Amino acid sequence: EICEHQVDGTEFVARRNEDRGLRGKGQQRPVVEMEWVDGRPLDTYVGSLCQSQPGALRVLAERWREMLCQLAVAEVAHGDLQHGNVLVDQTTSAMRLVDLDSAWVPGMEGLAPPAETGHQAFRHPNRPQTDQWGPHMDTFAGLVVLVSLVALAHRPDLWNVYNNGDNLIFTADDFVAVGATPLWSDLDEIVLHTLAVERRAHLGAVGGRCHTRGWQPLAVISDQLRGAAQFVAQVFMASLE
C-alpha cells in the first residue's frame, strides 16, 4: 500500500515497499517504488535564483521556515534534509521531500534506527549514530538550510564563493570551526552592515547549535526560527532604505 504524509502542502513523496519486487537467479529481492515527481533539486533551484531572481529567495526562506514548524507540530521528520532531497516546483515553489530512508512518523517508536545519519554539509558535527532517530532530528539541518537561504537572499554572490556542488553554502568545516571560517565572517558582515548588532544572534542560530547537543525539539528553538524570519524581513527593508 502506498502511504503519503502531507504537512500543510509540504509532502513526503509516496512510496511502496515490495518485499518481492525483483526476481533473479531464483531469489526474490525487495524494492521501494516511489512516484515520479517533477521539480528541481533545491541546490540547482537556489543557484538559478541567485543568478536571475535573488529577491525570490526571501520567499523561499519563509516557506522553508513554515515547513520546519509544520513538521515539528506534526512530529514528523525527514532525517536527511539536504539540497538533493528537496524538489522544488518551478511554477509554484512548492517543496516535495524525497528519499525517505531515514524518515520518522508517529508510531515508529522502538524501531531500529537507519544507518543513514545525514549529509555532512547539513549534519551536526556531534550527531549520535544511533539513539537520536526521532521526531526532532531535522532541527540542525533545517536551520542550516534556513540560514543559507536568508544569507543568499541578501548576498547572492556568496553562492559562487561557497557552493561546491555538494552543499548550499555551509561545509562540515564551518560546523567544526564556528566563527573561524570565511563563511562565518561573511555572515557576520551581512548583519553588521544591515541590522543592529544584537540581531547577530539570528544568523548565529546554527553556530549555537554546533556547541550544544543540536537535537532540541523545534518548539524549543522557535524563537530562533521566528528571529530568522524577522531577519529576512528586516534585511530587505534595510536594503530599500
Side-chain angles (χ1 to χ4, degrees), residues 48-240:
S48 67
L49 292 183
C50 287
Q51 301 298 324
S52 63
Q53 198 178 358
L57 288 165
R58 56 180 171 176
V59 177
L60 192 63
E62 177 60 19
R63 283 178 178 264
W64 184 262
R65 184 198 67 83
E66 291 174 351
M67 186 197 73
L68 293 179
C69 292
Q70 291 160 1
L71 290 174
V73 170
E75 295 189 336
V76 170
H78 180 275
D80 188 17
L81 291 180
Q82 48 128 314
H83 60 276
N85 288 341
V86 183
L87 298 182
V88 185
D89 186 287
Q90 295 187 82
T91 303
T92 65
S93 295
M95 291 177 283
R96 301 288 298 275
L97 303 180
V98 300
D99 191 356
L100 307 181
D101 293 346
S102 303
W104 169 279
V105 297
M108 300 183 76
E109 296 85 352
L111 297 180
E116 176 63 58
T117 59
H119 190 293
Q120 63 177 359
F122 299 83
R123 181 177 62 214
H124 190 282
N126 297 320
R127 177 168 177 170
Q129 298 299 307
T130 57
D131 64 351
Q132 291 297 332
W133 183 51
H136 310 309
M137 61 184 169
D138 288 342
T139 298
F140 186 80
L143 280 173
V144 170
V145 175
L146 179 61
V147 172
S148 299
L149 295 176
V150 171
L152 289 168
H154 185 61
R155 286 276 309 277
D157 61 294
L158 296 181
W159 181 260
N160 291 330
V161 177
Y162 296 112
N163 178 260
N164 61 23
D166 196 27
N167 68 338
L168 290 179
I169 57 175
F170 283 94
T171 67
D173 290 342
D174 296 311
F175 306 143
V176 174
V178 176
T181 65
L183 175 59
W184 288 109
S185 297
D186 280 331
L187 296 180
D188 214 28
E189 185 178 340
I190 291 174
V191 181
L192 289 173
H193 282 79
T194 56
L195 305 173
V197 174
E198 58 266 22
R199 286 297 179 188
R200 297 170 68 181
H202 299 327
L203 270 183
V206 168
R209 297 281 77 74
C210 288
H211 291 305
T212 66
R213 288 186 65 205
W215 295 101
Q216 301 175 37
L218 281 175
V220 175
I221 61 167
S222 59
D223 287 344
Q224 282 96 330
L225 292 177
R226 284 196 295 269
Q230 294 169 5
F231 178 88
V232 172
Q234 293 189 35
V235 161
F236 283 90
M237 287 177 64
S239 299
L240 296 174

Side-chain angles (χ1 to χ4, degrees), residues 17-24 27-33:
N17 296 318
E18 290 281 1
D19 293 334
R20 299 182 177 182
L22 294 175
R23 181 181 178 87
Q27 295 183 330
Q28 299 283 354
R29 301 289 185 180
V31 299
V32 176
E33 179 183 352

